[in-house]
Amino acid sequence: MKRRDAIALLIGSGALGTLGGIYYEKHRGPKRVAGVSGVGPAAFPIQFSDVTRESGILFEHNNGAFGKKYLPETLGSGCAFFDYDNDGWPDILLVNGMDWPGHARRRTPIQLYRNNRNGTFTDVTREARLDVELYGIGAAAGDYDNDGSEDLYITAFGQNRLFHNNGDKTFTDVTERAGLAAYQSLSTSAVWFDYDRDGRLDLLVANYVRWSPEQDIFCSLDGRTKSYCTPQAYPGTTCWLFRNRGDGTFEDVTGKAGLHDPTSKSLGVTVLDYDMDGWPDVFIANDTQPNKLYHNDGNGKFSETAVTAGVAFSEDGAARAGMGADAADYNNSGMPSLVVTNFSNEMVGLYRNQGHGFFIDEAPRSTVGKSSRLTLGFGCFFFDADLDGRLDLLVANGHIDSTISSVESRVSYAESPHLFYNEGHGQFRDISGLVGRSFALPKVARGCAYADFDNDGDLDVLLTTNNGPAYLYRNDGCRNHSLRFRTVGRKSNAGGIGTVVRVWTPEGMRWQMVKSGSSYLSQSERTVTFGLGERTAIDRARLEWPSRTTQEFGKLDSGRTYVVDEEKGIVDSIPYQRT
């Protein structure tokens, strides 16, 4: 959250303006919908239906605000889709904050919702032994001990927590046992990944700034009323890289691996292999400091390459207020590109991978940049919303100060999200006003994630707000086809995180990587989904595991989730439940 001057600190926009009204109909090309402006009747083949309450999700984020304008209050919260009970259906974790000491009003623990496999969820927080209160911010799920059950890491202000999944639908706090209790900060996003490819998941934790209530600084626009300080008011701090020893404990290798940087103010993290050398690299979105791109040298060390790669700064050479990040091959070039959300007046960064270790920010010349110029983005991810074979982009927006409209009359605290529809050839169009009235309503959004929670083959969306409710949007009306892959590692880590899945159709090859983390403070499901449009099968598929094991499969039909074991191949083929 960046300040070039007092007014620029708070400028943002809740208005999307006129929507161009283009949608893609059954692969026959672009079709113009005349007279569409703002939120109107359904004009796009899919709709994101708000099913939050009917599904049983009753959650309200608590940022603890009581008038002191403490910096962490603006950050949360995150969310995660993960299968905690191993029944093949994604469950939901919602991270919560808490009241500040001396100002207790209510108890607000994190919440875990079990997927009932019928479109509804049940709050199982207490039964799962996750009924703990902390000033939680983000979450990442991964099976760090390869026992077949996904564990949880919760970032927080103060003590982060590692919860071991016991495999019996309960968790145990193993933070101290794992050797992580000594690490306390204002932590934000986290990712599980096997950076040294030894078959065990390691943990990267992003930290924001050095702040505490005792070190809080009085910031004000008028000299009298306190406002939220920008991160420039506080010193930065390094991220942490914890190497998995394989015995339930972790070793801090931040300095040894070349990641120690006390100037960083990190919010978003995503893992990508940007040069396709088989080793996972790391991108970190920094707030008012240059972004970092750490190239994995394959010897336990990383080299920082953001400046030479062209992703450290904006096109005009400024360090922006990086919030969330994701990476994917949105233009089917064979290389992963990057998206980074930023503050208002800074635009979303859409860094297209040119190859040879270099990126170009396409946002200033695209709808992505023009539509996001005034909004303040946090969560973001690439996903194929309508299953047409091209990855679309969702950006969750929301300002940081509820009094922004008194500073700039055009700006509101709550902002509509962006859903950038991929029209091909690197072109996007914002269709957020065409896919559901509730979806397009302005919100003070933060985290977001996707999963196929109802097993019908398309991707649904979970979105959190700051000091407000969570929203679950079901993807309805999609008639295109898809198939999905769920990975089970043996030589590689148990979840297959880092596996590259490639599929071939007559249109060419497309690929995705199994990963944790990304977006902002959040995590989407590990299962990868390939949209096929009108096609009902792929010609072939190939899985490239972190262990260097490669598996090839011939023709596979759509309408199914293929469970692939690293040693046995396809061990299950689960049909969708489309209505």
Side-chain angles (χ1 to χ4, degrees):
M1 301 125 183
K2 184 171 187 175
R3 186 210 303 253
R4 288 199 178 91
D5 55 55
I7 302 300
L9 165 66
L10 299 175
I11 292 180
S13 176
L16 282 177
T18 301
L19 297 170
I22 285 183
Y23 69 91
Y24 200 83
E25 183 183 9
K26 295 288 187 181
H27 285 276
R28 290 196 289 268
K31 178 176 179 180
R32 187 167 296 278
V33 182
V36 177
S37 178
V39 179
F44 194 75
I46 66 167
Q47 295 288 293
F48 282 106
S49 303
D50 185 348
V51 296
T52 312
R53 288 200 168 271
E54 68 185 73
S55 69
I57 304 296
L58 303 174
F59 174 83
E60 193 84 11
H61 176 245
N62 176 24
N63 68 3
F66 65 102
K68 284 286 190 177
K69 301 277 186 176
Y70 284 163
L71 183 64
E73 295 168 1
T74 65
L75 297 179
S77 67
C79 58
F81 278 114
F82 79 117
D83 184 7
Y84 92 99
D85 56 358
N86 283 327
D87 66 352
W89 294 71
D91 309 298
I92 289 175
L93 180 88
L94 293 164
V95 181
N96 217 336
M98 63 182 292
D99 294 328
W100 296 105
H103 298 275
R105 296 165 293 174
R106 51 182 171 148
R107 191 171 184 275
T108 51
I110 58 178
Q111 287 183 249
L112 176 65
Y113 288 91
R114 184 189 67 231
N115 192 327
N116 297 324
R117 298 181 282 184
N118 61 4
T120 68
F121 292 80
T122 298
D123 186 343
V124 295
T125 311
R126 187 177 296 275
E127 299 94 302
R129 300 184 197 166
L130 287 175
D131 188 28
V132 296
E133 197 174 29
L134 72 167
Y135 200 96
I137 294 177
D143 183 2
Y144 74 85
D145 58 349
N146 290 334
D147 65 354
S149 298
E150 288 190 278
D151 310 299
L152 272 176
Y153 188 78
I154 307 295
T155 64
F157 165 65
Q159 181 66 70
N160 300 342
R161 304 285 187 90
L162 176 62
F163 294 98
H164 176 260
N165 190 329
N166 301 317
D168 59 0
K169 301 182 182 179
T170 68
F171 291 82
T172 299
D173 187 339
V174 295
T175 311
E176 185 170 354
R177 186 191 314 167
L180 300 174
Y183 296 87
Q184 300 190 24
S185 185
L186 175 51
S187 299
T188 52
S189 296
V191 291
W192 293 99
F193 74 126
D194 186 3
Y195 84 94
D196 53 1
R197 298 201 322 198
D198 64 355
R200 299 186 293 265
L201 288 178
D202 310 299
L203 178 63
L204 179 72
V205 182
N207 295 307
Y208 194 31
V209 296
R210 283 182 278 163
W211 178 91
S212 69
E214 295 74 26
Q215 297 169 312
D216 187 61
I217 295 173
F218 184 89
C219 297
S220 176
L221 295 177
D222 59 13
R224 300 183 304 276
T225 305
K226 190 180 183 192
S227 61
Y228 287 111
C229 293
T230 71
Q232 291 165 317
Y234 299 99
T237 187
T238 186
C239 66
W240 299 320
L241 177 61
F242 298 112
R243 180 179 176 273
N244 190 336
R245 292 190 178 107
D247 59 358
T249 68
F250 293 81
E251 173 192 6
D252 182 351
V253 295
T254 311
K256 185 189 303 184
L259 296 181
H260 182 76
D261 177 12
T263 69
S264 283
K265 301 176 181 182
S266 305
L267 290 174
V269 179
T270 192
V271 174
L272 71 164
D273 182 3
Y274 75 90
D275 57 352
M276 304 304 287
D277 66 353
W279 292 90
D281 312 306
V282 175
F283 176 84
I284 299 179
N286 276 325
D287 190 355
T288 71
Q289 293 293 312
N291 298 324
K292 303 294 181 181
L293 180 61
Y294 291 103
H295 177 263
N296 192 329
D297 298 331
N299 57 2
K301 297 182 179 180
F302 292 81
S303 300
E304 209 289 292
T305 61
V307 173
T308 56
V311 298
F313 305 103
S314 67
E315 195 177 53
D316 59 2
R320 291 187 281 191
M323 312 289 190
D326 193 20
D329 184 6
Y330 75 85
N331 58 351
N332 293 334
S333 67
M335 306 287 287
S337 295
L338 279 164
V339 62
V340 186
T341 55
N342 296 299
F343 207 78
S344 53
N345 278 341
E346 293 185 335
M347 298 188 296
V348 166
L350 183 63
Y351 295 101
R352 178 167 57 87
N353 194 331
Q354 295 283 91
H356 308 291
F358 188 71
F359 295 76
I360 291 180
D361 189 356
E362 297 285 358
R365 291 165 292 281
S366 76
T367 300
V368 172
K370 295 171 185 175
S371 296
S372 64
R373 185 176 295 277
L374 293 177
T375 50
L376 199 168
F378 280 91
C380 60
F381 54 73
F382 291 105
F383 75 136
D384 191 349
D386 63 342
L387 303 178
D388 67 350
R390 295 189 295 260
L391 295 180
D392 310 299
L393 172 62
L394 185 142
V395 176
N397 297 312
H399 218 277
I400 63 165
D401 199 308
S402 59
T403 64
I404 179 62
S405 59
S406 66
V407 178
E408 172 54 58
S409 59
R410 301 174 303 159
V411 177
S412 62
Y413 182 40
E415 300 176 343
S416 298
H418 297 305
L419 178 55
F420 293 110
Y421 175 67
N422 189 336
E423 297 184 304
H425 308 292
Q427 300 300 311
F428 289 88
R429 185 169 298 272
D430 191 347
I431 61 165
S432 56
L434 306 178
V435 294
R437 184 175 297 275
S438 173
F439 182 84
L441 287 176
K443 305 172 182 68
V444 188
R446 293 295 186 262
C448 59
Y450 64 82
D452 180 13
F453 81 83
D454 51 359
N455 189 34
D456 64 353
D458 54 32
L459 296 173
D460 313 297
V461 171
L462 179 64
L463 189 149
T464 67
T465 63
N466 183 261
N467 216 38
Y471 294 87
L472 180 63
Y473 292 105
R474 187 182 63 213
N475 190 332
D476 290 334
C478 186
R479 292 295 176 261
N480 284 332
H481 300 281
S482 71
L483 80 169
R484 292 156 49 82
F485 293 89
R486 186 179 307 151
T487 50
V488 180
R490 300 299 177 183
K491 294 180 182 178
S492 303
N493 64 87
I497 289 175
T499 301
V500 171
V501 183
R502 302 182 189 273
V503 301
W504 281 263
T505 68
E507 285 76 35
M509 185 275 292
R510 288 179 286 123
W511 67 280
Q512 295 184 52
M513 185 174 73
V514 180
K515 61 185 179 182
S516 83
S518 294
S519 186
Y520 172 78
L521 315 178
S522 302
Q523 178 164 319
S524 297
E525 66 173 352
R526 282 191 296 107
T527 303
V528 295
T529 301
F530 289 94
L532 301 179
E534 293 182 333
R535 297 199 176 277
T536 58
I538 60 170
D539 296 334
R540 63 188 178 103
R542 185 170 76 213
L543 274 69
E544 301 162 2
W545 297 79
S547 67
R548 298 184 186 265
T549 298
T550 299
Q551 294 168 315
E552 298 267 356
F553 304 101
K555 179 182 176 182
L556 296 175
D557 292 329
S558 66
R560 292 177 174 273
T561 298
Y562 294 92
V563 181
V564 185
D565 185 288
E566 186 176 9
E567 293 179 348
K568 300 175 182 178
I570 295 175
V571 294
D572 205 354
S573 173
I574 305 167
Y576 297 163
Q577 296 183 351
R578 279 196 165 180
T579 56

